[in-house]
Amino acid sequence: MIENQNDVDKLEKLYLKYKQGYSQKEQVVINKYLITVFKKNHNYIRAKEYIKKIIMQHPLEVVSKKSKMIKQDAINALRDIKIVFDNIGIDFFLVSGTFLGCIREGDFLGHDYDIDIGIWSEDYNDEIKNKILEYGVFIQYDLNWIGGLKLKHINGVKIDVFLHFKEYDKIYHQGEVTKWYNTTFQLQKYNFMGDEYYGFEDFDKYLSENYGNWKIKKIDFDNILDTPNAVIMNNNAFVIHLYQLLMSQYAKNNKNKILSYLEQFKEKI
């Protein structure tokens, strides 16, 4: 809903006006939304101010809680998006953590909080987006995300639809901070959660490029700091990401790593 700086100012004023009526947990949630809209408007200074307030004023247990997917809800959401794309005549494919779960676990990863799928950039346009939304069970919850399409199923499960671009002998998909490059193109079908979904044929190459030794489960993993194929595209957004990691469970075992990166940008907590 936020389109410009005037909208951001209105949102912040409303929060400050009624702040005392919110619980500690509610304040953290609203602060995170404010950080998001500051980032969207490239106001990285204000985003950092709010992150530092959260870090100093609230315990990690309150700040870092993230809802995991309910397995059956995730299955239903994935099947619904498959129905939509099948009706349109477009092949999508499992990527990132969802594809890792498919290959290594034969299941969703236990700590996953969303579903990651990809489509080729040439297959996507506004008409495709409208058909997805017209199906009636998805909403688009981040209107300005540059990676593709962020969807939320009616049951609450989030699906990131990453556009995949072909660039010479590589492909890449991207987020606000990073581009992730891969060198495998061919797709094949895999049995997953009682249905068939496309994934990369050379799964070992794809997963190695994304995760290194993907066969070993990692207690902590960040899709920007810990992915071998990540290329930072926006240093300001990267710094905000580092600060946000200090508000996550990832910081429990990796605080020094995060601080080391921040020091490279002459940032101090």
Side-chain angles (χ1 to χ4, degrees):
M1 293 171 61
I2 301 298
E3 295 181 352
N4 52 49
Q5 187 59 47
N6 186 50
D7 290 339
V8 176
D9 292 340
K10 287 180 180 178
L11 183 63
E12 185 180 23
K13 285 177 182 177
L14 279 170
Y15 167 62
L16 294 175
K17 182 177 179 180
Y18 297 105
K19 178 180 177 181
Q20 299 308 317
Y22 293 114
S23 68
Q24 184 184 60
K25 183 178 178 181
E26 288 169 334
Q27 287 187 37
V28 169
V29 171
I30 297 170
N31 273 249
K32 286 184 176 181
Y33 279 118
L34 284 167
I35 291 164
T36 298
V37 297
F38 284 130
K39 284 194 327 183
K40 291 293 185 184
N41 283 271
H42 309 293
N43 194 334
Y44 301 109
I45 293 174
R46 298 289 283 129
K48 279 192 285 187
E49 288 175 2
Y50 269 86
I51 292 172
K52 289 181 179 181
K53 283 181 186 177
I54 292 177
I55 292 171
M56 294 178 66
Q57 295 176 6
H58 303 284
L60 183 61
E61 288 72 23
V62 173
V63 170
S64 63
K65 191 171 182 181
K66 222 169 193 179
S67 299
K68 296 179 182 178
M69 297 187 298
I70 298 171
K71 182 174 177 178
Q72 189 58 53
D73 287 345
I75 292 171
N76 293 340
L78 187 56
R79 285 178 178 168
D80 274 333
I81 199 67
K82 185 178 189 299
I83 290 171
V84 176
F85 277 115
D86 284 349
N87 289 341
I88 298 171
I90 291 176
D91 293 329
F92 74 89
F93 39 95
L94 306 180
V95 298
S96 302
T98 304
F99 189 49
L100 174 61
C102 170
I103 297 299
R104 193 180 69 193
E105 318 289 339
D107 200 345
F108 295 105
L109 298 179
H111 58 272
D112 250 356
Y113 56 89
D114 65 5
I115 295 172
D116 298 314
I117 65 173
I119 61 173
W120 299 114
S121 59
E122 60 263 31
D123 289 336
Y124 183 74
N125 53 46
D126 284 341
E127 183 180 352
I128 300 301
K129 179 183 75 173
N130 291 337
K131 286 182 178 179
I132 294 170
L133 300 179
E134 287 167 5
Y135 183 68
V137 300
F138 294 104
I139 62 166
Q140 181 185 5
Y141 72 92
D142 187 338
L143 303 181
N144 301 309
W145 185 51
I146 66 171
L149 190 62
K150 280 188 177 286
L151 300 172
K152 184 185 285 187
H153 192 272
I154 195 170
N155 65 21
V157 171
K158 294 179 179 179
I159 300 181
D160 287 348
V161 184
F162 285 96
L163 300 185
H164 280 61
F165 298 85
K166 296 170 182 176
E167 188 177 90
Y168 303 108
D169 60 342
K170 295 181 180 181
I171 58 174
Y172 72 85
H173 64 287
Q174 62 186 347
E176 294 171 340
V177 179
T178 311
K179 282 184 178 180
W180 294 274
Y181 281 90
N182 291 101
T183 57
T184 180
F185 289 75
Q186 300 302 314
L187 302 173
Q188 73 172 42
K189 286 185 176 180
Y190 294 88
N191 291 317
F192 183 59
M193 308 313 294
D195 214 327
E196 286 191 332
Y197 297 94
Y198 281 103
F200 288 99
E201 183 178 60
D202 192 343
F203 63 85
D204 182 66
K205 177 181 281 189
Y206 175 84
L207 293 174
S208 296
E209 289 172 347
N210 281 266
Y211 299 102
N213 189 347
W214 58 272
K215 296 179 182 178
I216 297 177
K217 294 182 181 181
K218 297 177 174 64
I219 297 174
D220 301 307
F221 186 82
D222 178 66
N223 66 352
I224 292 177
L225 290 193
D226 300 322
T227 48
N229 62 342
V231 177
I232 304 302
M233 306 301 295
N234 184 329
N235 285 340
N236 287 320
F238 179 52
V239 167
I240 297 300
H241 176 75
L242 292 169
Y243 275 112
Q244 288 179 308
L245 283 178
L246 289 174
M247 302 189 297
S248 70
Q249 289 295 323
Y250 183 85
K252 280 193 170 182
N253 300 317
N254 298 279
K255 187 173 181 180
N256 288 336
K257 181 200 286 191
I258 300 167
L259 293 176
S260 175
Y261 275 104
L262 285 169
E263 285 174 5
Q264 295 177 29
F265 290 91
K266 304 189 183 330
E267 294 284 338
K268 294 181 180 180
I269 303 297

